[in-house]
Amino acid sequence: MADNNFKNSYGADDIHIMKGLEGVRKRPAMYIGSTNAMGLHHLVWEVVDNAVDEALSGFGNKIVVTIHKDGSLSVLDEGRGIPVGINKETGRPAVEVVFTELHAGGKFDGAVYKTAGGLHGVGASVTNALSEWLDATVYQNGGIYHLRFENGGHLVTPLEQLGTTKKHGTLVRFKPDATIFSTVEFKWETICNRLQESAFLMKGVHFVIIEEKTNQIQEYCYENGLNEYVSNINANKRPLTPVIDFSDVDEVTGISSEIALQWCNEDYNETLYSYVNNVRTRDGGTHETGFRTGITKAINDFAEKYNIAKGKKLEGSDIREGLTAIISLKVPEKVLEFEGQTKGKLGTPQATTIVSNFIYNKITYYLTENKEIAINIINKCVASANARIAARKAKDEARNNKKSKQNVILSDKLTPAQSKDFAKNELFIVEGDSAGGTAKKGRDRLHQAILPLRGKPLNTDSISMEKLLHNEEFATIINTIGAGFGQSFDIEDIKYGKIIIMTDADTDGAHIQTLLLTFFYHYMRQLITSGHVFIAVPPLYRVFKEENHKLTQQYAWDDEGLEQAKAKVGKGYKINRYKGLGEMDAIQLKETTMDPKTRLLIQVDIEDPFLVEKRVNVLMGKDTSVRKKWVEENVDFSKEDTFLKEVNK
Ligand code: TSJ
């Protein structure tokens, strides 16, 4: 029964609290971004981040997430337990306040470092507000304490002691409110990926994910943290060096830095992910600047000292070609600053010098101790520099030579756009000659160009650059886009504002998309990161009716749309189910998939590069049966794929 200590005084305060949570229910997107699958998983991160915070503060080293059969999800940690004592300000148990006050996280948080929960997160009260019910159980000081909320955060069982225990920790279980979310199905993959990322960042902490329905269990625990993170990213590449890792603490600010890095051959990109207090800093910041400065100076100084680069000055980009690095900083609250609209950029000024000196000293020491590896690294950097210089020279010559400009070789397969306003032009890369022909007829001649692809392009992960250029499909794409590739790729030179991949909505089509995306990802990455690459989404259905020689028709992209289309067309409708682009005529293809006013495009987004890398690794691996299965299970055309972001409708 309820202990007297926990008695609540209901009154004006309650109304105030429920107003807060009702605000969340009225405008959920303001708090969790959206009410689709991404928003749904936000509920999980809010709770998990609190458990992660506790482990980060040094309490407990195991976090268990369970997807239950009843559609609820629970998170269990082995920390100190959310405090159950009365909070002075509100006169209620602290644990109750955590679930009812917006942004309550910080108030009781004595933690030195704050992770997602404290920084960008909105707190567990938002999860409560958007749940059918939420149960919290705290194991603390020998007691088991429990409280329950229902129907969007209404306290139905005030805090009570249920019994005694020797355990300590917190268990939170909630069922998302199906009236709020477009889907309430937790995705195994999504949860695994996120927790794996946390596991890489938190050496030795066990993350367990259990799916009750299918009896799946996954555990992530990395004793070597970032080192294993880099190994994982580079699993399918040819390493030039081992994974090198360093860590240090700055005594003055208390900032601790960890870095792991590795150079690989035949990789023309820089892969750099940075984190501050376990939160991704997508937009970089002072720590990334420090890293770049420090590593450039270290390699140049070393090369000069031992005369390895023959006096050649290496630019930062030469040094970072083929480099994968993870930077993870723990920054105490008193010196923590974020910048930018999404707060994804570290602003703390001290971090520049701290990280720069740190990486300079560690790399210099490492190179001195490992001369052979040092020579390999510097030789690769010199090769990059030579390639850069040659590419620039060739480009300058081409620029100066007006004749060559007119002679740009365009594929005879390309149907060009008439306009020279490149930013407005769109290149459709179309699966198959026949769909290519239809697209040619249905296009807007002024701004849309069509490039049909024959068969599947090569898997670019496993072939050399030279072979790649000899592959007709890719050579044509490189020529058509007109901005080079690899290190000589220059986004300024692209001839199209949008590159749109248009394939059938089936497994083969998904495979072609992936191959093209892999190609862009490896050789024209900026094309993707600057948002120039799109996937066209053809409709799955046409609902139509002919009455008195009058045609009524509606297109549908999913089952929900199909129902709406049936209703709109009315009695006596017929349904076409499109199995491929080839089944549409030019007008239909234009209306549904090409006309900017009516089409559905998905912008390719590498918000989660680790996921992309993994997807690329799985898809590009040698075992094609695994690949096919994976595509079938994971590549869907829903608008909520974490890899893809809808931009317009
Ligand atoms: F988000 C949440 F509230 F739902 C939640 C919080 C969910 C889960 C699974 C765990 C937690 C959580 C919170 N685990 N551990 C804590 N720790 C505290 O709240 C805590 C305990 C003691 C002290 C202290 O200063 O003594 C401070 C804090 C923040």
Side-chain angles (χ1 to χ4, degrees):
M1 276 282 92
D3 189 308
N4 266 347
N5 285 337
F6 300 140
K7 215 173 225 163
N8 286 289
S9 54
Y10 291 96
D13 262 8
D14 269 313
I15 296 162
H16 163 78
I17 284 170
M18 284 318 298
K19 276 236 162 89
L21 297 191
E22 268 161 26
V24 177
R25 290 176 66 81
K26 270 201 194 110
R27 295 167 168 263
M30 261 185 58
Y31 297 86
I32 53 168
S34 67
T35 52
N36 60 19
M38 232 185 243
L40 175 77
H41 288 89
H42 225 102
L43 302 186
V44 183
W45 316 143
E46 292 300 339
V47 175
V48 166
D49 285 349
N50 279 278
V52 165
D53 261 353
E54 185 72 0
L56 187 66
S57 307
F59 303 98
N61 68 348
K62 187 172 170 186
I63 293 169
V64 183
V65 174
T66 307
I67 306 172
H68 296 280
K69 279 185 184 147
D70 62 0
S72 68
L73 179 142
S74 68
V75 182
L76 171 69
D77 72 17
E78 296 181 352
R80 293 165 293 180
I82 307 175
V84 295
I86 298 294
N87 163 250
K88 284 209 189 79
E89 215 174 294
T90 56
R92 303 158 184 283
V95 58
E96 182 189 318
V97 179
V98 165
F99 289 105
T100 48
E101 290 265 12
L102 295 175
H103 303 280
K107 281 188 191 158
F108 308 95
D109 204 328
V112 182
Y113 301 122
K114 286 201 184 161
T115 53
L119 284 172
H120 309 296
V122 283
S125 54
V126 169
T127 303
N128 192 23
L130 301 175
S131 289
E132 219 169 88
W133 52 259
L134 182 146
D135 273 300
T137 311
V138 172
Y139 308 91
Q140 194 172 70
N141 294 330
I144 303 173
Y145 303 90
H146 166 260
L147 74 174
R148 179 179 170 92
F149 303 87
E150 283 181 10
N151 199 13
H154 293 265
L155 183 67
V156 293
T157 314
L159 189 65
E160 58 185 347
Q161 181 167 357
L162 293 181
T164 59
T165 182
K166 286 189 177 136
K167 287 197 289 192
H168 51 90
T170 304
L171 171 66
V172 172
R173 179 166 170 173
F174 66 95
K175 184 157 192 258
D177 191 330
T179 64
I180 296 214
F181 294 96
S182 62
T183 169
V184 284
E185 207 173 304
F186 294 112
K187 259 190 140 174
W188 172 258
E189 277 264 316
T190 305
I191 291 172
C192 285
N193 280 322
R194 171 73 176 237
L195 296 193
Q196 186 182 25
E197 187 186 18
S198 295
F200 281 129
L201 295 168
M202 300 183 70
K203 258 186 204 170
V205 176
H206 294 256
F207 287 85
V208 181
I209 307 115
I210 299 168
E211 156 70 278
E212 273 187 352
K213 225 185 266 172
T214 55
N215 264 325
Q216 288 179 94
I217 294 195
Q218 174 73 54
E219 178 165 354
Y220 298 111
C221 178
Y222 301 100
E223 293 301 334
N224 295 317
L226 300 189
N227 188 302
E228 287 176 81
Y229 196 167
V230 171
S231 299
N232 252 270
I233 291 174
N234 289 343
N236 279 9
K237 299 183 194 167
R238 274 174 269 277
L240 173 76
T241 68
V243 181
I244 306 162
D245 61 54
F246 313 114
S247 66
D248 202 6
V249 182
D250 177 67
E251 299 297 340
V252 180
T253 56
I255 293 177
S256 75
S257 319
E258 283 180 74
I259 295 183
L261 50 85
Q262 180 178 39
W263 277 271
C264 290
N265 287 315
E266 289 160 40
D267 181 1
Y268 296 88
N269 294 295
E270 166 193 359
T271 308
L272 173 64
Y273 307 149
S274 65
Y275 296 85
V276 171
N277 299 345
N278 289 2
V279 182
R280 218 17 238 293
T281 31
R282 288 175 195 290
D283 308 320
T286 48
H287 52 336
E288 284 196 11
T289 307
F291 172 79
R292 294 194 167 101
T293 314
I295 198 165
T296 307
K297 186 162 161 37
I299 304 262
N300 267 308
D301 285 2
F302 189 90
E304 196 177 323
K305 186 170 172 194
Y306 294 94
N307 194 26
I308 309 174
K310 314 271 169 343
K312 190 161 272 160
K313 179 103 176 62
L314 302 167
E315 288 189 1
S317 67
D318 304 329
I319 285 159
R320 296 192 307 272
E321 198 180 285
L323 176 68
T324 301
I326 311 285
I327 304 174
S328 174
L329 257 63
K330 301 283 156 52
V331 181
E333 226 195 323
K334 61 180 194 300
V335 290
L336 188 58
E337 286 174 39
F338 281 98
E339 288 172 358
Q341 223 166 21
T342 52
K343 302 283 166 214
K345 188 172 180 184
L346 182 66
T348 305
Q350 298 98 317
T352 310
T353 328
I354 290 172
V355 177
S356 168
N357 288 342
F358 159 64
I359 191 77
Y360 181 87
N361 293 333
K362 299 282 185 181
I363 285 277
T364 303
Y365 180 78
Y366 181 88
L367 297 177
T368 313
E369 293 290 301
N370 302 276
K371 287 260 169 55
E372 218 167 291
I373 297 176
I375 290 169
N376 286 340
I377 296 172
I378 292 168
N379 282 342
K380 175 171 167 69
C381 299
V382 170
S384 306
N386 288 339
R388 166 176 55 80
I389 292 162
R392 262 182 216 167
K393 209 171 137 194
K395 202 182 280 166
D396 286 347
E397 275 168 11
R399 278 212 181 105
N400 293 335
N401 182 351
K402 284 207 180 113
K403 253 187 201 158
S404 79
K405 235 183 191 170
Q406 288 156 5
N407 285 344
V408 181
I409 312 152
L410 287 178
S411 162
D412 56 354
K413 284 188 278 180
L414 177 77
T415 307
Q418 289 162 349
S419 167
K420 291 282 168 275
D421 188 350
F422 297 148
K424 281 198 185 137
N425 286 355
E426 301 180 338
L427 176 67
F428 282 83
I429 302 179
V430 185
E431 173 185 1
D433 274 337
S434 99
T438 317
K440 198 171 146 181
K441 285 192 212 114
R443 85 200 160 108
D444 160 13
R445 291 167 166 273
L446 191 60
H447 289 302
Q448 296 184 329
I450 309 296
L451 182 66
L453 285 185
R454 247 176 244 126
K456 282 186 198 176
L458 283 178
N459 168 357
T460 59
D461 232 34
S462 62
I463 56 169
S464 72
M465 197 73 124
E466 214 172 326
K467 263 202 199 139
L468 183 83
L469 287 174
H470 287 123
N471 173 261
E472 206 186 327
E473 305 296 342
F474 283 120
T476 307
I477 292 170
I478 293 168
N479 253 327
T480 308
I481 293 174
F485 69 100
Q487 215 198 10
S488 75
F489 180 75
D490 188 344
I491 192 90
E492 301 286 316
D493 293 343
I494 58 173
K495 302 266 183 293
Y496 300 90
K498 287 194 170 89
I499 314 278
I500 300 167
I501 302 171
M502 187 157 78
T503 70
D504 293 339
D506 60 11
T507 310
D508 269 3
H511 191 197
I512 289 173
Q513 286 174 18
T514 311
L515 290 169
L516 286 167
L517 291 178
T518 308
F519 170 73
F520 292 138
Y521 183 72
H522 282 287
Y523 297 106
M524 302 184 184
R525 188 168 296 181
Q526 228 196 319
L527 208 57
I528 296 183
T529 55
S530 314
H532 292 286
V533 183
F534 296 80
I535 288 175
V537 188
L540 291 177
Y541 307 100
R542 182 172 74 108
V543 182
F544 63 100
K545 181 172 67 178
E546 220 180 294
E547 235 170 18
N548 310 325
H549 303 286
K550 201 181 132 261
L551 180 75
T552 335
Q553 63 173 3
Q554 289 282 325
Y555 297 100
W557 277 260
D558 53 23
D559 291 338
E560 200 184 308
L562 179 62
E563 291 312 313
Q564 289 166 359
K566 284 180 191 167
K568 270 194 189 156
V569 175
K571 268 198 194 81
Y573 60 77
K574 287 187 186 135
I575 301 177
N576 252 356
R577 194 189 190 298
Y578 292 125
K579 282 177 242 43
L581 298 170
E583 295 175 16
M584 279 185 252
D585 63 29
I587 293 168
Q588 291 169 347
L589 190 63
K590 179 194 171 83
E591 279 177 349
T592 60
T593 317
M594 298 180 72
D595 184 344
K597 289 196 286 294
T598 47
R599 72 190 176 192
L600 177 62
L601 280 192
I602 289 173
Q603 186 172 34
V604 176
D605 177 16
I606 51 163
E607 259 212 287
D608 186 347
F610 180 63
L611 207 67
V612 176
E613 198 76 47
K614 206 159 142 181
R615 174 172 169 147
V616 165
N617 285 345
V618 174
L619 292 174
M620 298 303 120
K622 279 139 211 97
D623 185 350
T624 50
S625 68
V626 174
R627 179 162 72 203
K628 192 141 185 279
K629 185 164 170 285
W630 201 86
V631 173
E632 274 162 5
E633 281 174 5
N634 293 290
V635 180
D636 65 12
F637 289 80
S638 86
K639 290 151 237 164
E640 291 168 1
D641 193 318
T642 37
F643 184 58
L644 306 166
K645 188 173 75 188
E646 180 188 15
V647 286
N648 60 21
K649 182 153 184 156

